Amino acid sequence: MLIYRKVSQIESVLGELDSSLLREAEVVEKEYPFRCTEYYANLVMQPSLKDPVFSQFFPAIEELEGSGGEDPFGEENSTGVDGLVRRYTDRLLVISTNLCFVHCRFCMRKRNWKKSPFVFVNSAGFYQYLVEHPEIEDVIISGGDPFTLPNDVFEELLRIPKKVSSVKIIRIGTRAPVVAPEVVYEKLDILERYSPVWINTHFNHPREITPDAAKAVKALIKAGCPINNQSVLLKGVNDTFEVLARLFKGLLSIGVRPYYLFSCDPVKGTEHFFVPLEKALRIVTRLREELSGMAVPHFAVDGKNGKKILP
Ligand code: SF4
């Protein structure tokens, strides 16, 4: 799989870019590094920040203008064990790595991109934490993208919660079906061994529902993985009723349940994607009125402590 790590490399897929767009992106990538798969870049129709795929991975100068915090929900050091985050009594979030296939420019954890690549392998600490907290029933393995991990580490992250009888549910958050569908096949045997492993994936635009993505989803379902989607409401990407209706109906048609639509978090460097709450509620109300219940995700805003508010 080909991953581009410099904005200028994307010209090999998209042709020559507008020089001022490229210059600005090269300034931004020094602060927030660039990363994109060849597969995902090929979904672009117009290399412009108005294109709903291009703007999800191509750096915009506004990223340097924001004023929010880098970790507004206090994820760092929330449990005293590196990589483990706790917001709810019965759930534990595992930040398994800072690596992703694509750096989504609206990411709430973009603070981690510049750190040296890390892989959460503190198996003993993870196991001990679960044993000492039997109230945790649900483990969410996130990142970064856990599908970037080598298979032995990936499996270890499933083996540990499976060993603890109080853990009833294991979930993985990944964008692999959307941005690197070929990678999904490398993990199927492991996922099948620990079935059911719930997959939370992250489609934001109907153009991302390609035959390759649908095939990867089908393979995951065959491996025993129920699949939910968590979208983020993004200005200029999917902030209309029409786009979201096509997205959610398209997801249902490939076997993915629209689960959450999140308001973009107030994280430094992402403010230009924010959709005002009144506009978001107008769109969500119309979705609720016109789509079948199955096609309408919960709309959620992250509160100050990172806990969800459902307006
Ligand atoms: S895949 Fe997820 S964690 Fe990685 S950059 Fe995108 S939103 Fe952030």
Side-chain angles (χ1 to χ4, degrees):
M1 181 188 40
L2 191 49
I3 298 184
Y4 300 109
R5 291 174 172 81
K6 289 277 163 207
V7 282
S8 55
Q9 293 170 342
I10 213 75
E11 291 192 317
S12 64
V13 181
L14 301 179
E16 201 175 326
L17 296 173
D18 174 85
S19 59
S20 64
L21 197 66
L22 185 59
R23 252 196 329 273
E24 288 184 353
E26 285 176 332
V27 174
V28 179
E29 73 178 337
K30 291 187 185 125
E31 182 64 23
Y32 296 117
F34 175 82
R35 213 169 156 92
C36 186
T37 58
E38 183 186 36
Y39 167 85
Y40 195 59
N42 268 313
L43 303 187
V44 168
M45 289 171 79
Q46 287 290 329
S48 140
L49 290 170
K50 294 203 165 99
D51 183 281
V53 171
F54 187 80
S55 62
Q56 288 189 62
F57 69 78
F58 198 82
I61 200 71
E62 287 87 350
E63 290 179 46
L64 302 180
E65 293 166 0
S67 57
E70 294 219 298
D71 179 22
F73 305 129
E75 289 190 338
E76 309 280 336
N77 305 319
S78 90
T79 59
V81 181
D82 276 352
L84 301 185
V85 178
R86 193 89 181 269
R87 286 191 195 127
Y88 299 92
T89 308
D90 62 345
R91 275 155 274 176
L92 181 69
L93 177 67
V94 182
I95 307 294
S96 62
T97 175
N98 62 339
L99 288 178
C100 294
F101 301 105
V102 168
H103 281 171
C104 313
R105 309 314 299 183
F106 49 85
C107 179
M108 67 177 289
R109 298 199 184 105
K110 63 199 293 184
R111 66 181 186 275
N112 286 336
W113 295 347
K114 262 203 341 200
K115 296 179 184 167
S116 318
F118 68 76
V119 168
F120 177 77
V121 284
N122 186 355
S123 308
F126 181 20
Y127 177 72
Q128 195 59 30
Y129 193 86
L130 289 175
V131 169
E132 284 170 5
H133 296 87
E135 69 278 14
I136 294 171
E137 298 176 339
D138 186 349
V139 171
I140 302 143
I141 300 163
S142 184
D145 197 318
F147 274 52
T148 61
L149 294 169
N151 280 358
D152 57 337
V153 179
F154 185 82
E155 180 156 14
E156 182 74 350
L157 286 164
L158 295 174
R159 189 176 11 243
I160 290 168
K162 249 321 187 231
K163 276 197 307 196
V164 180
S165 61
S166 42
V167 176
K168 309 293 181 205
I169 302 160
I170 303 176
R171 304 192 242 175
I172 294 182
T174 176
R175 246 199 138 184
V178 185
V179 297
E182 71 268 38
V183 168
V184 161
Y185 303 94
E186 297 165 15
K187 309 292 188 212
L188 292 178
D189 288 349
I190 301 172
L191 290 165
E192 203 163 3
R193 274 201 289 285
Y194 293 86
S195 177
V197 176
W198 289 73
I199 299 285
N200 283 346
T201 191
H202 183 169
F203 289 84
N204 283 330
H205 192 274
R207 203 191 295 160
E208 296 167 343
I209 306 174
T210 65
D212 287 332
K215 207 168 138 213
V217 162
K218 197 168 178 182
L220 285 166
I221 294 170
K222 209 167 159 210
C225 299
I227 308 188
N228 288 298
N229 188 68
Q230 303 190 159
S231 301
V232 183
L233 184 63
L234 299 167
K235 185 172 167 188
V237 173
N238 59 11
D239 57 338
T240 65
F241 165 80
E242 289 75 16
V243 169
L244 288 176
R246 271 196 293 134
L247 172 65
F248 299 144
K249 288 182 191 179
L251 288 172
L252 281 183
S253 75
I254 63 166
V256 177
R257 176 189 163 225
Y259 172 42
Y260 270 117
L261 173 65
F262 284 108
S263 177
C264 194
D265 287 321
V267 173
K268 188 169 176 234
T270 68
E271 287 101 326
H272 54 298
F273 284 107
F274 186 75
V275 177
L277 192 57
E278 296 106 68
K279 178 174 181 183
L281 286 172
R282 272 200 306 275
I283 297 171
V284 170
T285 303
R286 193 167 160 206
L287 289 168
R288 288 174 185 152
E289 283 168 0
E290 297 193 26
L291 268 56
S292 92
M294 260 196 348
V296 184
H298 301 294
F299 174 60
V301 177
D302 281 326
K304 278 209 173 93
N305 52 6
K307 287 194 178 180
K308 286 178 215 67
I309 301 168
L310 302 178

